[in-house]
Amino acid sequence: MSERPIRPSALHRPLALTCSVVGAAVVALDGTVLTIAQPALQADLGADTGQVQWTSTGYLVAVASLLVFAGRLGDRYGHRRVFALGCLGFAGTSAGIAAAPGIGWVIALRVLQGVAGALLQPATLGMLRAAFPPERLGMPVALRTSAIGLAAAGGPLVGGLLVDAYGWRAVFLIGVAPTLAIALLCLAVPEPRRAAAPSGAGALDLPGACLLGLALACLVHGLVQGPVAGAAPVLLLAVLAAVAFTGHERRAPQPLLPPDLLRSGPVVAGLGALLAVSAALSGTLFTATYLLQDTLGLGPLPTALRMVPLALLMIVGAPLSALLKKRVGARATATGGAVLLAAGVLLLGRPAVTSSGLATGACAALIGAGFGAVMVTATSVVVHHAAEEHAGVAGGLQQTAMNTGPVVGVALATLLLASGAALPALAAVGALAVPAALGLPGMPRREEGARRRVADTPAGP
């Protein structure tokens, strides 16, 4: 018989929020600083371009294939335990990469780091779901989103300074201390008392996990390869594995993906919105970098400065989006955010805009504000509408959407870059979040009822 958590005391909420924010920020920072360090890494280790690409691809494949299963592990054994294990693994592999003697070691350790990242990422949401009442999830999710935006914005600067001063190995050491510290903190503080759950709840569906992991790993690998020899068979294998997974889940007595979760309209709508906006954002950043540097001849620093408003609006806008969601509902907040993002991407494709630093920054601000609004709103809806015993799986699905979307967006941008149609196509992808957002809940019933009572109250004399 497995266990399910009861509602913890307020003492555990600061711990859950701290671990969620720090864990998500470290993972986001790691991805951005690696991009800065890759040229120096390649030169120092004598690696070729394909080997350096695998330092990113190996991580992405490992993460994508394990996120949902890692969420199920958290549901069964406790999100904090799984989170601590992931943090210890992340710290250990980061330190190992910093001391790696060759590119083969770097690639292998990056794959192991992806496994650790898969363990900790769903738990950052599962811990919030277990610690906070559903109606109060908006602001913790917003603070987590702001931390991700801050890490993504500061990553290139921090990475550049470290590489210039100490070499590429230094960038892998910056995540060791925080992940080790929060892992030890999680292990030191006792978990809330757990009550018995119904027999079979939280059972591990290992065949389903293998099939889903194979499908996602092949999908990510095939999209990263792009239109090159060997990509088509990998993508075909992804389709076959997905079909086999679907058939298995229908027959499994305890499926990896709970049917109630997949039948939830708000959960499916939230995941669709997250997939669309993350694809549009990452593809746009990839395309904008090419346009500003290769087409307009700007250097890395001027290019980065033009994108600063995107990160700033994401950081500042995330808490505001949580307040807006509480006031007007998830549907209106996410729909407005999706419209802002799509409009910003579409305008960014106009030559008159990219030739002006002010106009480019304004478009970046629209994209950042829109992305932050959708991310905060859709994430809180996905976690809120999942039963607490399935919070880890819901977190795994949310992280899968947020990890798969960027791969899809960059693959689409790469395919259409030469034709000049990349940004219009990415704007269309971002606009797909609008119909998804319309499937999110509207005004909270309690607030809506209060407004109606006020409206029906007769005016005083």
Side-chain angles (χ1 to χ4, degrees), residues 34-117:
L34 174 64
T35 304
I36 301 297
Q38 281 179 333
L41 182 153
Q42 181 176 0
D44 183 44
L45 299 181
D48 58 42
T49 303
Q51 290 173 319
V52 172
Q53 171 126 14
W54 266 101
T55 62
S56 297
T57 302
Y59 178 90
L60 289 173
V61 169
V63 167
S65 61
L66 293 173
L67 282 167
V68 176
F69 182 63
R72 172 57 74 201
L73 290 177
D75 290 333
R76 182 169 186 180
Y77 297 109
H79 300 296
R80 198 189 297 172
R81 292 191 186 98
V82 174
F83 176 81
L85 179 62
C87 286
L88 290 174
F90 205 91
T93 52
S94 297
I97 294 169
I103 188 64
W105 280 98
V106 174
I107 294 172
L109 288 168
R110 279 287 289 172
V111 172
L112 292 177
Q113 192 178 52
V115 175

Side-chain angles (χ1 to χ4, degrees), residues 141-160:
V141 170
L143 294 176
R144 177 181 177 274
T145 302
S146 293
I148 293 172
L150 182 60
L157 177 60
V158 173

Side-chain angles (χ1 to χ4, degrees), residues 64-73 75 202-214 216 245 248-262 389-390 392-394 396-397 400:
S65 61
L66 293 173
L67 282 167
V68 176
F69 182 63
R72 172 57 74 201
L73 290 177
D75 290 333
L204 298 179
D205 176 17
L206 293 178
C210 291
L211 288 171
L212 180 60
L214 178 62
L216 290 171
F245 172 73
H248 168 79
E249 289 293 282
R250 290 175 177 173
R251 299 187 303 270
Q254 295 293 332
L256 178 67
L257 299 181
D260 290 345
L261 187 64
L262 296 181
E389 61 268 23
H390 300 147
V393 172
L397 288 171
T400 299

